[in-house]
Amino acid sequence: MTVALQSSPPNQQDSGSWRDYFSFSLDHKVIGIQYLVAGFCFYLVGGALAGMIRVELVTPLSDFIGRETYNQVLTLHGTVMIFLWIVPVVNGAFGNYLVPFYVGARDMAFPRLNAVAFWMLPPAGLMLLSSYFISGAAQSGWTAYPPLSITTPAVGQIIWIVSVLLLGGSSIFGAVNFIATVLKMRRPGLQLFRLPLFCWAMLATSVLVVLTTPVLAGALLLLSMDIVAGTGFFNPSLGGNAVVYQHLFWFYSHPAVYIMVLPAFGLVSEILPIHSRKPLFGYKSMVYSILAIVFLGMIVWAHHMFTSGTPPWMRLFFTIATAIIAVPTGIKFFNWLATLWNGKLALNSAMLFCCGFIVNFVLGGITGVALAQVPFDIHVHDTYFVVAHFHYIVYGGTVFVIFGAIYHWFPKMSGRLLDEHLGRLHCLLTFIGFNLCFFPQHWLGLNGMPRRVAEYDPQFQLINQVSSVGALIMAISTLPFLINVFSSLVAGKAAGDNPWKALTPEWLTSSPPPVENWHGEAPLVEEPYGYGHREGSLSLEALSGRELWSQGR
């Protein structure tokens, strides 16, 4: 065990200003918080749109908002939640904040490109939302399938395309930065297989972004030409092929699921060892399973298209590939359970949200394997079964992890602890509301209720009302979270530099950190999950203030 101490005064801090968060800052920590706050604001907008959908579906008739308005709200909800909330926060916010700490760097590899990537986000989001008031938003759903996207009002659809192109460009800029930072900015002596697992998750995610996002951009550019210039790339009436668009769209959009969940896997892998006081089980198997998901995630896209005239050989290939991808995902869950097994569990808000994630994502994974089977998929295609499955993955999975990560790293960002009573209430309400909202939708789909429609058969009314009650509970769950954040920022309990007694590098500096991350040389942490080792425990208890230490074999 090697321990390196830093001699800077324990109370010295680099001053910052709230104005930094409204400026073109080059500090990766400021940019990470900018992503987090902006993304949460869009989450509130997307949640309000979801509330409008659930109110409309309380009755079988379209009696709250008109059919066209419903289609616009549905399109905006999906686009906002994916491209303006989950992807920017789980990648941009936590990726920016943590990766430089984990590799021992002062900042990202390209700080200006990092700032540009963030400042593409707010105008793209505001442009997307303003389309509702300017000309009517796009009505073709977040998939924008032609010929529907070609025949609906053109202005709203073009604004949607431009907004998504800007958001895709932002993702690519961020991905290039993460790849360069992880591979080229590591401090001397820090090997790849000594990095915290979140670095591997961000590296894998960034590779997916760079390889797949340009394909979506190309498809959307061709689609815009069909709308504006009257070309026939995807327009069947002009000899185009709408199924080609589906291939291009899903070549990006299925890997996009892993772009949303792989960073969440990394965050969970950082949180669980700390709050169970055990090493992360099977570190190398976790790394290899991430790499396997990247490869397999790029060859399973057509399982979304089993009803699109795909030939039998293609159905067989994508069924097998989709079933295989459950293996590396399953490895992760067994490793997380092994990490928790016989640990000294601290059932705080961060841990509870991560446990909720494990439960929800397993359920979503089971229904995903079911959807990979052609006969079953044909039966429930475009029904509420698919809606339930998707939300168990992206909300029950990724969003639960986002909230858990906020409770875990809020003390690092602000220097204050969040209230645990409000945090547990937030977790309880979110878990109950989420499952009450989306679990009954499996039954709706199995019995034939189509998705993306404002009117439905009256036999489904009671279950839709139950689902809407769950959505209301989810909305209410946001209140204790907001109260918690604002009250803690004003008068929360001081966290100290390392309230969780963690071993990863971001906790080995002050809370909040100085501009340069550390006073002096960055620590070399070669065993970030060394919990339960007698030497590590003794050394950690002996340190105080801003003393930095590094652990090696």
Side-chain angles (χ1 to χ4, degrees):
M1 162 103 28
T2 304
V3 176
L5 301 182
Q6 189 65 27
S7 60
S8 59
N11 293 320
Q12 179 184 348
Q13 252 193 71
D14 294 315
S15 59
S17 169
W18 61 270
R19 295 181 180 85
D20 295 341
Y21 299 97
F22 296 90
S23 67
F24 193 82
S25 174
L26 304 183
D27 186 346
H28 72 97
K29 300 179 293 297
V30 172
I31 294 173
I33 295 174
Q34 286 175 323
Y35 269 111
L36 182 60
V37 174
F40 188 79
C41 291
F42 285 117
Y43 168 68
L44 296 178
V45 174
L49 295 169
M52 295 174 66
I53 294 171
R54 291 314 317 170
V55 171
E56 174 57 61
L57 295 175
V58 167
T59 63
L61 300 177
S62 181
D63 51 8
F64 176 64
I65 52 179
R67 295 176 182 177
E68 288 190 358
T69 302
Y70 181 86
N71 292 339
Q72 294 177 42
V73 169
L74 189 72
T75 302
L76 288 176
H77 164 70
T79 308
V80 167
M81 287 303 208
I82 292 171
F83 294 106
L84 290 165
W85 159 236
I86 295 179
V87 172
V89 170
V90 78
N91 288 274
F94 292 105
N96 268 290
Y97 200 94
L98 296 175
V99 166
F101 282 112
Y102 286 167
V103 301
R106 302 295 180 184
D107 211 316
M108 297 288 284
F110 308 112
R112 287 179 175 81
L113 185 66
N114 201 21
V116 169
F118 167 74
W119 283 107
M120 293 172 72
L121 186 74
L126 294 175
M127 181 192 307
L128 176 69
L129 297 174
S130 67
S131 66
Y132 179 84
F133 304 98
I134 295 173
S135 59
Q139 300 182 29
S140 56
W142 76 277
T143 57
Y145 274 7
L148 180 60
S149 56
I150 297 172
T151 56
T152 51
V155 175
Q157 192 66 58
I158 291 297
I159 293 176
W160 182 91
I161 290 173
V162 173
S163 300
V164 173
L165 287 174
L166 285 173
L167 295 169
S170 172
S171 293
I172 293 173
F173 291 164
V176 170
N177 223 340
F178 286 125
I179 293 171
T181 302
V182 172
L183 296 182
K184 295 297 183 182
M185 298 291 288
R186 300 193 310 280
R187 81 177 302 272
L190 182 58
Q191 302 174 7
L192 277 173
F193 277 93
R194 295 294 186 182
L195 289 173
L197 198 75
F198 182 65
C199 289
W200 282 101
M202 286 307 303
L203 181 62
T205 302
S206 300
V207 171
L208 277 177
V209 169
V210 170
L211 293 178
T212 62
T213 308
V215 177
L216 175 66
L220 293 181
L221 288 173
L222 296 178
L223 180 64
S224 67
M225 294 296 291
D226 281 3
I227 297 171
V228 175
T231 56
F233 294 108
F234 309 124
N235 191 342
S237 64
L238 297 177
N241 191 332
V243 176
V244 172
Y245 174 87
Q246 294 185 32
H247 280 288
L248 296 174
F249 177 84
W250 287 114
F251 184 80
Y252 163 79
S253 294
H254 190 81
V257 174
Y258 301 109
I259 290 169
M260 290 185 276
V261 302
L262 281 178
F265 289 172
L267 292 171
V268 168
S269 301
E270 302 304 328
I271 296 171
L272 292 184
I274 292 174
H275 297 292
S276 62
R277 311 313 298 174
K278 280 186 62 183
L280 179 66
F281 184 87
Y283 173 91
K284 287 192 176 181
S285 66
M286 296 282 269
V287 172
Y288 292 135
S289 65
I290 286 176
L291 300 179
I293 288 174
V294 171
F295 172 72
L296 293 170
M298 295 185 65
I299 59 172
V300 298
W301 76 88
H303 68 226
H304 295 273
M305 301 168 57
F306 286 157
T307 61
S308 298
T310 51
W313 69 265
M314 187 178 291
R315 287 178 170 182
L316 179 61
F317 172 81
F318 284 102
T319 293
I320 294 172
T322 306
I324 291 174
I325 203 172
V327 175
T329 306
I331 288 172
K332 293 185 174 301
F333 285 98
F334 285 117
N335 284 5
W336 290 326
L337 293 177
T339 301
L340 294 173
W341 188 260
N342 281 336
K344 297 179 180 179
L345 305 183
L347 295 180
N348 51 34
S349 302
M351 176 68 94
L352 290 174
F353 268 106
C354 289
C355 291
F357 151 79
I358 292 175
V359 173
N360 294 331
F361 201 90
V362 166
L363 291 174
I366 291 171
T367 56
V369 173
L371 287 168
Q373 313 310 309
V374 175
F376 185 81
D377 181 83
I378 291 174
H379 175 63
V380 300
H381 187 79
D382 267 345
T383 70
Y384 262 81
F385 191 94
V386 180
V387 175
H389 159 73
F390 184 68
H391 282 84
Y392 265 85
I393 295 297
V394 298
Y395 195 103
T398 303
V399 176
F400 267 70
V401 175
I402 288 174
F403 283 127
I406 291 173
Y407 282 98
H408 180 74
W409 278 287
F410 185 87
K412 175 54 54 182
M413 298 177 181
S414 68
R416 298 183 181 274
L417 292 168
L418 288 168
D419 182 82
E420 281 298 323
H421 298 291
L422 288 173
R424 292 189 182 99
L425 177 62
H426 175 211
C427 183
L428 179 65
L429 290 175
T430 305
F431 187 82
I432 292 174
F434 169 78
N435 283 282
L436 189 62
C437 180
F438 292 106
F439 193 80
Q441 292 178 11
H442 294 97
W443 183 89
L444 292 175
L446 287 171
N447 286 275
M449 179 175 169
R451 59 177 175 170
R452 300 175 183 166
V453 292
E455 300 176 354
Y456 55 87
D457 191 305
Q459 67 171 313
F460 301 129
Q461 181 172 3
L462 177 61
I463 302 300
N464 270 293
Q465 289 174 340
V466 171
S467 186
S468 294
V469 170
L472 176 61
I473 296 174
M474 290 174 67
I476 294 173
S477 73
T478 309
L479 295 178
F481 174 72
L482 291 172
I483 294 170
N484 201 352
V485 168
F486 287 113
S487 62
S488 297
L489 285 173
V490 173
K493 180 181 177 181
D497 291 342
N498 191 354
W500 313 129
K501 293 183 170 59
L503 307 183
T504 44
E506 81 277 22
W507 295 106
L508 307 182
T509 184
S510 63
S511 298
V515 173
E516 296 294 325
N517 293 346
W518 296 275
H519 295 285
E521 185 182 0
L524 175 60
V525 179
E526 292 191 323
E527 196 172 344
Y529 307 115
Y531 305 102
H533 295 181
R534 183 174 181 274
E535 297 87 351
S537 301
L538 292 174
S539 297
L540 192 57
E541 291 171 2
L543 297 177
S544 61
R546 290 191 189 168
E547 296 170 336
L548 305 178
W549 69 288
S550 62
Q551 185 175 14
R553 294 185 182 275

